[in-house]
Every structure is written in C-alpha cells, then in structure tokens.
Amino acid sequence: MAQIFKKPLSWLLQESGQEGAHTLKRTLSAFQLVTLGIGGIIGAGLFSLSGLAAANNAGPAVTLSFIVAAIGCAFSGLCYAEFSSMIPVAGSAYPYAYATMGEMIAWIIGWDLGLEFSVGAATVAISWSNYLVKFLSSYNIYLPPQLVHSPFETAQLADGTVVHGIMNLPAALVILAMSWLLIRGTKGSAIWTTLVVILKVGVVILFIALGWRYIQPANYTPYIPANTGTFGEYGWSGILRGAGVVFFVYLGFDIISAAAQETRNPKRNMPIGILGSLVVCTILFILFAHVMTGLAPYTAFKGNAAPVAVAIERTPYTWLSQLIILAILIGYTSVILVDLLGQTRVFYAMAKDGLLPKVFSDIHPRFQTPWRSNILFCIFVGLFAAFVPIRVVGEMTSIGTLLAFVIVCAGVWIMRYSMPDAPRAFKTPLVPFVPIMGIITCVGIMLFLPWDTWLRLIVWMAIGMVIYFRYGKKHSKVRRAVGR
C-alpha cells in the first residue's frame, strides 16, 4: 500500500524541467546558492547562542561542539546534495520523502518544515526588533515600549512605571518588508542576500582578525572544564549538549534545497550550494568560537546573549560593538528572507500535489513567484512576531530541521536500493555509512532537546494529521492517478 502512494521519480523529473508563466523562474547560480545558504546560516545563533553554549555547557571546548554539530550537518548535507541533484524541484525534504517513503511521511515532513520555517522567521524578527531598540537607544532614540513588546510582555520605564506591550511593530514590519522582496522575485532577493552575506562575513572575519592578537591563553585552561556532576554541564557530556545548542547556528543550508526549481543547472549547482555554504560557515564558526573564548573567560558569557560585545570589551576596539549590532540588524533580514522563502516553497510543492489548497501554488504572471502564499505567510508570521513573546518559540526550529535531516538521510539509503540505476549527478559517498551516521547524529541531538519542545512538535503534528485526513488525502493527485 505504501508503495502505491509514492510519487514516481519520473513525475518529479518532469516537474523539474517545466518552464512557463505558471512555474517558478530559474535565475539562481551556484554562487547565489552559496550566498543564500550562508545568509540563512550566519545569523541569530552565532551572535547569541555561541556564548551561552560556552558558559553553560562546553567551556572553551565549545569549538569542539561546533565541530560535532558540523559533522552531523555534513552527513545530512551529503545526502541533501544527492537528492537535490536527482530531484531538483521546490519543497526541500518534502519531495524527497514523497519519492522514497510515500505520501504520509512526505506530509509529515512538509508540515514539520512549515512550522520550522515559520517559527524561525518569527523568532529572528522578534530578535531583530530587540537589537533595533538597543541600536537606536545608543543614539538617544527611544521607541514606545508598548510598540516593541507583545501583549504578554511588560516593560519598565525610566521612572519605574511598568507598562504592558501592545504589539511588536518592528518585528511585524521586517516580516512585511522581506515578504514584499520575495514577491518581487528570487533574483532580487538573492542579490540582497549576497550583499548582506558580504557584510556578515566581513564582520565575522573582522572580529577574528582584530581579536586574534588579544587572545589570552589562560582563558583556554582548562580547555574542557570538569563535569559538575550534572549531565550536560561541562566535560564531554557538556560538549555534546553544547553541540545540540549550537546546532541552531547551522540551520539554513537545507533551505537551499527549497529553491532547487529556481536554480540554473540544478544538478551541478545544488551540491555546490549546499556543501559550499556548509564548509565556509564551519570554518568561520570554529575560528569565531576560538577567538571569542580566548578573549574572555567562558564564565563571562553566562546569562548574556550578546557574546561578541562581551569579547570585544577585552580589546581596544570597543567601537566595534555598535558595528556588530548594525551588522546583526542587516544580517537578520537575510535569515528572515530565506526562512520565508523555504516556507512558501514547501507549501508550493505540497499544493501542486493536491495536499494543500491551490492558493499556495498560484504563480504571479509577472514575477513568477507564489505571491498569494507569500501574502498569507506574511500575515501569519507577521501576527506571530507581533503578538507572541520570543520565549514561546523555544527550540522548535531545531527539532523540525533535525527531523527533516533524519528523513533525508533515510531516503537516500532507501533509494540507493530501490532505484539503484536512477541518474545521480552527485552521489553521497560511503552509503549506507553516511546516511546511518547522519540519522544517529541527528536523533542523538534531538534527544538532548527539552521535553516541552517535543510536546509542541507532537501537538503541531496532530493538527497536521487532521488536515491531511480531512483535505490532503481526498485531493491527492498521486492517489487519483492510481484510482484510489
């Protein structure tokens, strides 16, 4: 029964070759894919979670945490590269699951990715708003606190008065701006992303270069602090827990696969984009963490979500802190943009298969983008960013992506045996070792996430299954094709 409802590979290959006014426009090059991936990866995680992982879990050995997380991403990235070269269609891991494990698993991963991208965009938008307030305050510009906090949050004024928030207006506005950019077309958004990536990478390199000469070797002793007796607090268990924390930093390279149907020569360019962005970011992250923990003792980052500012204070370049905040503000926009891009492309693919209403796959006749879907998610994510506090979103983005990674790794393994002769422009090496290690690594990291994150995932999935059985299953084009 499961075999019947797999989407034939021939269908996917036919979709990947379609051109015209009602399909996505192919404009992205390999370089633009690399910058798109870097734009999605370098963001909130690096500039906030790296210090917290060092302070609470790994100490100076947070560099090892980055390496462990990178290894997990590398296994998954190799599998993504094979699938994206075989099946260059929109939808990220969704079409891969449809072709290998059937409609039910495809729906689960598509619905899961929808949550991941939406929550990710809203989270970064709220953080963007917080940094904007901090940046403007240094110039004595103060936004009304009621308009930068959700209704569930309070703010204390200078005179001690406590006021309740009304809405986080800047967070909603940045979602609106990025959605408008996406509606105009991926080429324009890719150009913006490229410029932003140059700025973000430049700031990271500047931090590494300026900070390197002020490293204090004493801050690396002990390199792996002794475990406190609590699992995950220093020692090797702390390094592994730190890997789970900083894994969020790497989220973004998988979004490249969501843009496969808008890529020129995807069989060549998709693997370059996925693996290229992962390699570049891993090198930068390791050097960044090494300099950060060398400039200040790891204990100095405890309870501080701005580790770069803490580290820079140990150098003569304190002026760099404001530049870092500005770079974060600009850089966050590219993260929001690629999250919204991934979200709409996954639902575009699901709607094309009949599992979601046609509104999610309607293409603008001029811009050739899923503009109605962009508008709907602009409203949904914008409302979420405006009225929900950042603490609610938790680690939902991480667990959603990890689940996608597991399914992609399993899919490559399955397809190697079920379709050994299918053309592959890029082949994942050492199958089944690489897929198995990818599954083990990602599941292991998932187990380190809090229980309430699992609970929210289960609730979201339950809602998705109701929609699938009430709508998707009845309108599935694959089921109709086989007369069921």
Side-chain angles (χ1 to χ4, degrees):
M1 183 66 69
Q3 178 67 34
I4 292 176
F5 302 122
K6 289 181 181 179
K7 190 172 184 179
L9 182 60
S10 58
W11 288 21
L12 291 167
L13 294 176
Q14 183 179 5
E15 290 176 11
S16 70
Q18 288 179 349
E19 301 284 351
H22 299 288
T23 60
L24 299 174
K25 188 176 182 180
R26 295 191 181 277
T27 60
L28 303 178
S29 65
F31 175 75
Q32 289 173 322
L33 287 175
V34 171
T35 58
L36 190 68
I38 296 174
I41 296 171
I42 298 180
L46 182 64
F47 295 122
S48 59
L49 296 181
S50 54
L52 296 176
N56 301 327
N57 307 112
V62 70
T63 51
L64 299 181
S65 296
F66 274 104
I67 293 173
V68 171
I71 291 172
C73 285
F75 289 133
S76 303
L78 288 168
C79 294
Y80 261 101
E82 175 169 324
F83 262 141
S84 64
S85 68
M86 287 180 63
I87 312 173
V89 296
S92 187
Y94 161 76
Y96 310 156
Y98 214 153
T100 57
M101 286 171 278
E103 184 174 281
M104 177 71 75
I105 300 298
W107 170 270
I108 290 173
I109 196 60
W111 189 250
D112 167 64
L113 287 170
L115 176 64
E116 172 205 335
F117 293 139
S118 295
V119 171
T123 304
V124 178
I126 296 169
S127 184
W128 183 90
S129 176
N130 292 339
Y131 270 106
L132 178 66
V133 171
K134 186 175 182 180
F135 180 79
L136 294 178
S137 65
S138 63
Y139 297 101
N140 296 319
I141 300 175
Y142 300 96
L143 299 177
Q146 296 91 338
L147 297 182
V148 293
H149 291 87
S150 77
F152 304 97
E153 297 173 307
T154 59
Q156 187 171 12
L157 303 180
D159 60 2
T161 304
V162 176
V163 297
H164 282 272
I166 298 175
M167 66 177 297
N168 196 326
L169 183 60
L173 291 178
V174 73
I175 292 292
L176 176 63
M178 293 302 101
S179 297
W180 175 82
L181 195 59
L182 279 175
I183 291 173
R184 298 283 298 181
T186 53
K187 182 175 182 180
S189 60
I191 293 173
W192 168 251
T193 301
T194 299
L195 295 175
V196 170
V197 165
I198 292 173
L199 173 64
K200 288 198 292 187
V201 172
V203 168
V204 172
I205 293 175
L206 184 64
F207 172 76
I208 294 170
L210 295 181
W212 195 278
R213 61 182 297 188
Y214 295 99
I215 288 176
Q216 299 295 321
N219 291 330
Y220 296 130
T221 305
Y223 190 68
I224 303 178
N227 184 262
T228 62
T230 301
F231 188 83
E233 290 184 7
Y234 312 118
W236 284 101
S237 67
I239 292 173
L240 295 176
R241 174 65 61 83
V245 173
V246 301
F247 190 86
F248 180 87
V249 175
Y250 284 97
L251 306 185
F253 82 86
D254 60 312
I255 296 177
I256 297 173
S257 62
Q261 207 164 335
E262 294 159 275
T263 301
R264 300 196 302 265
N265 192 9
K267 291 184 177 181
R268 169 185 174 273
N269 292 338
M270 290 304 296
I272 293 174
I274 292 172
L275 299 178
S277 60
L278 188 57
V279 168
V280 170
C281 288
T282 298
I283 294 172
L284 290 175
F285 290 172
I286 292 171
L287 294 174
F288 180 93
H290 180 74
V291 172
M292 181 188 71
T293 53
L295 289 176
Y298 66 90
T299 53
F301 302 114
K302 201 169 188 67
N304 195 311
V308 175
V310 174
I312 285 296
E313 289 175 357
R314 310 302 174 103
T315 75
Y317 306 110
T318 53
W319 54 267
L320 189 58
S321 294
Q322 198 67 359
L323 179 61
I324 292 290
I325 294 176
L326 180 60
I328 290 173
L329 279 171
I330 298 174
Y332 274 12
T333 61
S334 68
V335 181
I336 296 169
L337 188 144
V338 295
D339 276 341
L340 293 173
L341 170 71
Q343 168 63 82
T344 55
R345 273 44 176 185
V346 170
F347 273 41
Y348 167 85
M350 295 175 74
K352 291 284 285 185
D353 291 329
L355 301 182
L356 286 173
K358 186 177 178 295
V359 65
F360 292 103
S361 62
D362 285 344
I363 299 298
H364 194 282
R366 177 184 173 190
F367 302 126
Q368 291 183 252
T369 57
W371 65 290
R372 287 194 172 95
S373 183
N374 280 126
I375 293 174
L376 289 174
F377 280 108
C378 174
I379 296 171
F380 173 71
V381 179
L383 289 174
F384 198 84
F387 296 107
V388 179
I390 194 170
R391 65 179 182 272
V392 174
V393 294
E395 291 86 3
M396 286 303 299
T397 306
S398 294
I399 198 169
T401 305
L402 285 163
L403 179 59
F405 287 2
V406 170
I407 292 178
V408 168
C409 290
V412 164
W413 188 8
I414 292 171
M415 189 167 277
R416 280 294 184 92
Y417 292 98
S418 62
M419 300 179 183
D421 299 323
R424 293 170 169 84
F426 176 88
K427 295 186 70 172
T428 302
L430 302 176
V431 174
F433 174 77
V434 168
I436 290 175
M437 289 305 299
I439 293 171
I440 291 174
T441 305
C442 292
V443 170
I445 295 175
M446 289 175 73
L447 294 176
F448 279 90
L449 294 172
W451 69 269
D452 57 331
T453 300
W454 283 88
L455 180 61
R456 286 193 292 269
L457 178 65
I458 292 170
V459 170
W460 175 259
M461 287 301 171
I463 295 172
M465 294 312 296
V466 171
I467 296 175
Y468 172 69
F469 284 108
R470 295 295 299 270
Y471 182 90
K473 186 176 180 180
K474 296 178 181 179
H475 295 83
S476 169
K477 293 182 180 180
V478 172
R479 288 177 178 267
R480 289 182 180 179
V482 296
R484 295 295 183 93

